[in-house]
Amino acid sequence: MDATGTYLCSLARRIWHGYLLEGASCTEALLPLFDSSCVVIGTGRHEFYENLADFMHALELDFSESASIDFEIVDEWYEHRCINEASYLVYGGVHVREKSDDNGALVDMDTRFSLVFRRDAADGEWRIIHVHQSLPYFEQKAGEYYPRTLSEKACEAMEMARRMRELARHDQMTGALNHAAFFDGAEEAIAAQPEGWWCFVSDVDDFKRINDERGHLEGDKALKALAAALLGHAAPDDLVGRIGGDEFAVLARLGSASDAERFACAVKERFAACVAGSVGLVPDISVGFARVEGSFRDALAKADAAMYEAKRAKP
């Protein structure tokens, strides 16, 4: 039996029990066990201390943060290995958790550690010259050499957050931007590049009549067809939004009034193709447009007025 190794394992146990169960009161008793040049590495906060003074300062902060926590050791084990007659490696594991009245573990850590002891040539005492402590990731499963499960869940969470952001910005029925996202995006786009924008407003003619005579499902189909026509013809940097009821708006970068006219005609053609084959009251749309020359909202009002003028011009 290696008496020295057993003794050093008992010192390691004393250190862990003092640190976890006694707190700051153990500092004075444990301090002589560490060499002044001891190097400490830990993974919990990426700790790295190159001397005992820095480590003790961090330990004081640690004790102050955990002063109100009552820990219990669930399991522990210690092993030793002789390196040479003047140095030993002690390693093991300590499973600790916070005591709770309702038996729920608020803090639960299963740590692994290694300590390197060296016999001091001057006084023959064993002192620690190196500490390494490692905590597994909470989501690191057995058999994983890196936290693949944690990485996958992080990616899933980021994808979910992206989807939630998209859902928060879009009209769920039509896929167009919602009112807030469209107006915010339009203001930002025009502020970044003031020139070359045209604003379009379009809605479904006699939309209430479609709902009343053919049912709301047919009304929904007409809305989806209008959104598809607008989204299908808009460029990637254009904005398409549902700004209320059956009314949609587009902010598009175009050159001239002729370009804007062709854009409106193309949207009407796409809409007609989408509703081709409808029985009874066949939906139609009206489109108005205006160049953005001042504020976006002024251009939107002009486009809205142009749309109603287009409606009145129909037979």
Side-chain angles (χ1 to χ4, degrees):
M1 183 176 181
D2 188 337
T4 299
T6 301
Y7 167 68
L8 296 179
C9 284
S10 71
L11 290 185
R13 184 177 184 276
R14 179 182 167 194
I15 290 170
W16 276 111
H17 279 243
Y19 169 65
L20 294 169
L21 305 181
E22 299 173 29
S25 63
C26 75
T27 304
E28 186 174 347
L30 297 182
L31 188 60
L33 298 178
F34 292 84
D35 189 86
S36 61
S37 61
C38 179
V39 174
V40 178
I41 299 174
T43 59
R45 298 179 183 172
H46 302 294
E47 300 99 332
F48 181 72
Y49 309 109
E50 294 185 283
N51 55 67
L52 184 59
D54 290 345
F55 173 55
M56 295 308 296
H57 175 68
L59 199 60
E60 289 177 8
L61 298 176
D62 192 349
F63 283 142
S64 67
E65 291 181 5
S66 60
S68 62
I69 302 177
D70 189 12
F71 290 110
E72 63 178 346
I73 294 176
V74 180
D75 189 24
E76 58 186 320
W77 59 275
Y78 303 86
E79 297 288 346
H80 60 81
R81 183 170 299 175
C82 177
I83 301 173
N84 54 48
E85 63 180 13
S87 56
Y88 265 77
L89 170 68
V90 174
Y91 59 95
V94 179
H95 183 185
V96 60
R97 68 187 176 196
E98 179 181 354
K99 289 183 179 179
S100 174
D101 293 337
D102 60 4
N103 296 320
L106 303 178
V107 175
D108 194 319
M109 300 181 294
D110 190 4
T111 187
R112 301 291 181 266
F113 70 90
S114 62
L115 307 173
V116 177
F117 286 86
R118 182 177 64 190
R119 186 191 295 273
D120 193 302
D123 59 13
E125 295 294 329
W126 289 95
R127 293 187 177 87
I128 297 169
I129 62 171
H130 179 66
V131 179
H132 183 256
Q133 179 211 3
S134 176
L135 282 169
Y137 288 97
F138 180 72
E139 290 290 347
Q140 189 168 353
K141 304 302 182 182
E144 292 185 348
Y145 289 92
Y146 75 101
R148 177 173 56 82
T149 302
L150 177 62
S151 298
E152 289 175 352
K153 290 195 173 184
C155 289
E156 289 174 3
M158 288 188 290
E159 174 61 20
M160 179 63 71
R162 185 196 65 79
R163 289 175 58 192
M164 292 303 293
R165 287 195 299 270
E166 288 299 303
L167 287 173
R169 286 171 46 82
H170 288 80
D171 174 62
Q172 298 307 296
M173 180 191 295
T174 65
L177 293 173
N178 61 30
H179 185 282
F182 177 77
F183 276 84
D184 289 346
E187 298 286 1
E188 290 174 6
I190 294 170
Q193 177 55 265
E195 304 296 328
W197 294 105
W198 287 79
C199 181
F200 295 79
V201 175
S202 180
D203 71 4
V204 179
D205 294 339
D206 298 317
F207 183 65
K208 184 177 183 305
R209 184 181 167 196
I210 293 172
N211 280 334
D212 291 343
E213 294 187 8
R214 301 186 58 195
H216 287 275
L217 290 179
E218 291 300 316
D220 290 348
K221 289 180 181 178
L223 294 179
K224 293 175 183 178
L226 176 51
L230 294 169
L231 290 165
H233 194 66
D237 292 334
D238 295 343
L239 300 176
V240 178
R242 184 181 179 187
I243 60 174
D246 65 325
E247 194 166 76
F248 291 77
V250 178
L251 182 69
R253 287 186 65 82
L254 299 168
S256 65
S258 297
D259 293 331
E261 181 66 42
R262 282 191 290 270
F263 185 101
C265 290
V267 167
K268 287 187 280 188
E269 289 173 2
R270 281 177 175 266
F271 178 82
C274 289
V275 298
S278 296
V279 178
L281 179 60
V282 179
D284 194 11
I285 61 172
S286 295
V287 183
F289 54 88
R291 186 192 297 271
V292 179
E293 296 178 312
S295 76
F296 166 68
R297 291 179 183 271
D298 287 345
L300 186 71
K302 292 177 183 178
D304 193 53
M307 179 189 70
Y308 281 102
E309 186 177 342
K311 285 184 185 294
R312 288 191 293 269
K314 290 184 178 181

